Amino acid sequence: MIAGLIALSGQQVAYAATATNSATASVAATPLGDAFTKAAGAYEIPRDLLVALGYAETHLDGHDGEPSASGGYGVMHLVSNPQTKALEEAAKLTSIPVAKLKTDDASNVLGGAAVLRAKADALGLDATARKDPAKWYGAVAAYGNLADDTTARIYADAVYEALASGIDAAGVQTEAAQVTPERGKYADDAPRTLASATDYPGAVWKAASTSNYAVSNRPTSNKIDRIIIHVTQGSYAGSISWFQNPAAKVSAHYVVRSSDGQVTQMVREKNRAWHAGNSSYNQRSIGIEHEGYISDASWFTDQMYRGSAALTRNIADRYGIPKDRTHIIGHVEVPGSDHTDPGSHWNWTKYMSYVTGGTGGGGTTNPHTAEEVCGTGYKVIDSQALGTNGTVYLLYSTSAGKNCVATIKKTSIGKASATSAFLEVQGAARKTDTGQFTYYAGPVAAAAADKCVKWGGSVGTSTYTSSFEHCG
């Protein structure tokens, strides 16, 4: 649900095609692969980066010319809606008719390349810089035209993660390439968990526009007894941005990422998100969107199922919602709905097994909390999800005048596995608790009066390190 692209007013771009770069010349030729190679050459874009952008947007699926939820078309998700005219801009840059850009994959790829190159030109990338994928980060972030810099970073990071992993989809291949992007102004915009704002521990908080939900006081005003499963028909970052757009008039309480199950909360559970298309069901339910398209099973990863199931289980436990298919339903099952999500590729058997205590999210609930680990008087002031593996928490005790860090596992609960927590007071040596732990790492505590702290931790391969912050 990418919210769209900013049209570059009056700018015309025309570039001669160049030779295919040697890194991709050996890839077996396919029509879509050829389209990427030709478009990358014509607009002097690293070919595999262009592929990665398309993959992050659509998994290289043009969806037969049908638009996404936010009006994006084709493999490169060229958006046309009242706020954004990227499709029209691509037509202007390439002289290809809009109708053909919508339905013809090769034309759509060329249009996407033209828009991306225009973004690079606007940022001043010269011929030398254009050869280095690391220097395209700002242009990639601008291509998404997201609501704010934090969401733009989520979007651009997804592109570079696809580049690092390598791609084999729709007859197009790229080799895995580790690139350290030059994030520039986006370097300080990593998504953060705000414990005071989220109802679900570990969720990232990004507020939806107040035009897209109704303020309420649930469950006092309305009992919450349903959880509704949706599919975004778009990307994770794009869906977040769409819910931030006041013109959308839709939202969900949560959005879950395909690649790792990361959860973003956008509407407080006490408020009524507009997600069900049925006023009664909006009043009684929590809505969870999942990144992807109902026609493409590749979006529904095990990590997504596990991350979402852990969220659903947590919600159900807090509101006393039975963990069954009567109370946990798809959007398609809402009375009067004209939607079909989550669609036939959604594996309800796997999902419900995780919700009801299978191996999703570790299979059990960790009996320990960060407050318990750090001790009496400590309260959570910040936290960061470690994918679906756990959460690291920063706490503070007013009476003790100390910070404390604890990492709480969500996977391999009760089994020893690599887990760590650390706290570093600016100007002092870092204190770390690391080892093979069954439930948590920590507590790591230190006095930090009038000092900034750096904190973080890990569970398995998922790690987090903050900048120096929470000063004073």
Side-chain angles (χ1 to χ4, degrees):
M1 287 169 71
I2 293 293
L5 314 171
I6 298 174
L8 300 178
S9 176
Q11 185 173 355
Q12 299 292 328
V13 185
Y15 306 108
T18 59
T20 302
N21 68 59
S22 59
T24 58
S26 61
V27 175
T30 64
L32 187 57
D34 282 347
F36 274 105
T37 300
K38 292 174 181 177
Y43 290 97
E44 299 181 359
I45 300 169
R47 183 259 191 188
D48 289 359
L49 179 67
L50 186 64
V51 173
L53 191 152
Y55 185 83
E57 285 279 15
T58 66
H59 282 196
L60 308 185
D61 186 345
H63 302 105
D64 298 320
E66 292 298 314
S68 71
S70 59
Y73 290 88
V75 170
M76 301 303 290
H77 199 254
L78 293 171
V79 174
S80 177
N81 65 37
Q83 289 73 40
T84 303
K85 301 296 181 185
L87 179 66
E88 291 79 5
E89 180 66 13
K92 186 176 182 179
L93 295 170
T94 62
S95 298
I96 297 173
V98 163
K100 190 172 183 180
L101 286 167
K102 287 182 177 181
T103 58
D104 180 69
D105 285 347
S107 297
N108 187 271
V109 170
L110 193 68
V115 172
L116 181 61
R117 172 59 189 270
K119 302 297 185 187
D121 287 351
L123 293 172
L125 266 67
D126 60 18
T128 300
R130 291 196 296 271
K131 296 177 182 178
D132 184 355
K135 296 187 183 299
W136 282 81
Y137 190 93
V140 169
Y143 184 99
N145 190 40
L146 287 309
D148 56 40
D149 286 351
T150 302
T151 311
R153 173 164 171 169
I154 293 172
Y155 173 85
D157 281 352
V159 174
Y160 280 83
E161 287 165 7
L163 184 65
S165 299
I167 295 162
D168 186 356
V172 181
Q173 295 84 34
T174 70
E175 296 294 329
Q178 292 293 334
V179 175
T180 302
E182 297 182 9
R183 291 191 172 93
K185 72 172 187 175
Y186 302 99
D188 296 326
D189 287 305
R192 298 290 310 283
T193 298
L194 300 175
S196 63
T198 58
D199 296 295
Y200 177 60
V204 174
W205 173 252
K206 291 297 294 182
S209 168
T210 56
S211 298
N212 296 336
Y213 64 90
V215 174
S216 189
N217 189 31
R218 303 186 308 167
T220 301
S221 59
N222 301 96
K223 181 180 179 180
I224 298 173
D225 64 1
R226 294 290 189 277
I227 299 170
I228 301 178
I229 302 302
H230 303 262
V231 174
T232 60
Q233 293 298 99
S235 74
Y236 180 66
S239 301
I240 292 169
S241 186
W242 185 239
F243 293 157
Q244 291 175 300
N245 186 334
K249 305 305 179 186
V250 292
S251 65
H253 293 92
Y254 295 97
V255 186
V256 184
R257 185 159 63 188
S258 170
S259 63
D260 60 2
Q262 184 187 78
V263 176
T264 289
Q265 182 171 5
M266 301 200 68
V267 178
R268 292 297 301 270
E269 291 173 6
K270 69 183 183 68
N271 295 325
R272 287 178 284 125
W274 297 338
H275 63 99
N278 177 312
S279 178
S280 173
Y281 273 70
N282 282 340
Q283 291 174 4
R284 69 193 298 186
S285 66
I286 302 294
I288 305 175
E289 287 276 6
H290 297 79
E291 179 185 23
Y293 291 82
I294 62 173
S295 61
D296 186 350
S298 68
W299 291 95
F300 303 146
T301 64
D302 195 58
Q303 295 92 326
M304 173 184 277
Y305 282 124
R306 291 174 185 272
S308 175
L311 168 62
T312 292
R313 186 169 58 248
N314 177 276
I315 294 168
D317 287 343
R318 285 188 284 111
Y319 294 103
I321 301 172
K323 300 183 185 76
D324 59 37
R325 286 284 285 111
T326 299
H327 296 84
I328 301 169
I329 64 175
H331 194 180
V332 66
E333 296 169 280
V334 174
S337 172
D338 60 357
H339 287 248
T340 59
D341 53 318
S344 61
H345 293 299
W346 182 263
N347 190 331
W348 278 109
T349 301
K350 173 187 283 190
Y351 186 68
M352 292 305 296
S353 76
Y354 289 170
V355 170
T356 56
T359 56
T364 60
T365 300
N366 195 318
H368 302 282
T369 66
E371 289 89 345
E372 172 197 337
V373 172
C374 286
T376 303
Y378 280 94
K379 301 296 182 183
V380 173
I381 60 171
D382 208 341
S383 61
Q384 178 66 38
L386 301 170
T388 57
N389 293 339
T391 302
V392 58
Y393 295 88
L394 176 67
L395 302 89
Y396 183 74
S397 170
T398 302
S399 59
K402 290 184 177 181
N403 287 105
C404 178
V405 177
T407 300
I408 307 298
K409 294 171 57 177
K410 291 184 180 177
T411 57
S412 301
I413 294 172
K415 299 179 181 180
S417 64
T419 312
S420 71
F422 78 84
L423 176 62
E424 180 180 342
V425 179
Q426 197 163 27
R430 178 176 296 188
K431 301 174 67 175
T432 303
D433 184 33
T434 184
Q436 299 289 316
F437 300 128
T438 53
Y439 293 100
Y440 59 84
V444 181
D450 301 319
K451 298 285 187 179
C452 302
V453 297
K454 181 181 289 188
W455 58 283
S458 65
V459 177
T461 59
S462 298
T463 66
Y464 173 71
T465 299
S466 78
S467 58
F468 278 110
E469 57 186 10
H470 294 285
C471 305

